[in-house]
């Protein structure tokens, strides 16, 4: 199973999102470090709308997502960008 698929599964199971997009941005980071070729799944962006975020601060939302995805980060996911929103909140995407 791919990193993207595992991220989607964990977030679906734990946050029941109304909207979820997991984007592999690894190709944007080729050459940033000697071992970063732009291939694989090292840099991911998560755009998510979930009722679970209602009433939470932006920091609390990020902490929740990071906690849920800690196994992926520990296994080698280098960067994780998170764009969380509660239903009805404006998004840039």
């Amino acid at each position: 199973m791919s990193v993207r698929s595992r991220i989607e599964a964990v977030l679906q199971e734990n946050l029941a999102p109304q909207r979820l997009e997991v984007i592999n941005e690894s190709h944007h980071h080729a050459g940033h470090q000697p071992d970063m070729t732009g291939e694989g799944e090292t840099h991911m962006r998560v755009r998510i709308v979930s009722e679970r975020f209602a009433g939470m601060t932006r920091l609390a939302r990020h902490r929740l997502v990071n906690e849920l995805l800690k196994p992926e980060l520990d296994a080698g996911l280098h960067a994780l960008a998170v764009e969380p929103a509660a239903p009805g909140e404006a998004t840039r995407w």
Side-chain angles (χ1 to χ4, degrees), residues 25-33 36-38 42-45 78-79:
E25 297 184 336
S26 302
H27 62 282
H28 294 298
H29 301 276
H32 287 188
Q33 291 182 359
M36 289 194 180
T37 63
T42 58
H43 295 69
M44 305 298 273
R45 177 173 303 274
H78 180 75

Side-chain angles (χ1 to χ4, degrees), residues 29-70:
H29 301 276
H32 287 188
Q33 291 182 359
D35 61 337
M36 289 194 180
T37 63
E39 297 177 10
E41 296 177 296
T42 58
H43 295 69
M44 305 298 273
R45 177 173 303 274
V46 171
R47 293 176 171 163
I48 182 169
V49 176
S50 173
E51 183 65 42
R52 184 91 182 269
F53 295 138
M56 293 177 75
T57 65
R58 182 178 171 105
L59 180 59
R61 293 172 182 186
H62 279 258
R63 284 181 175 160
L64 175 57
V65 172
N66 284 332
E67 180 182 317
L68 290 170
L69 299 179
K70 186 176 184 324

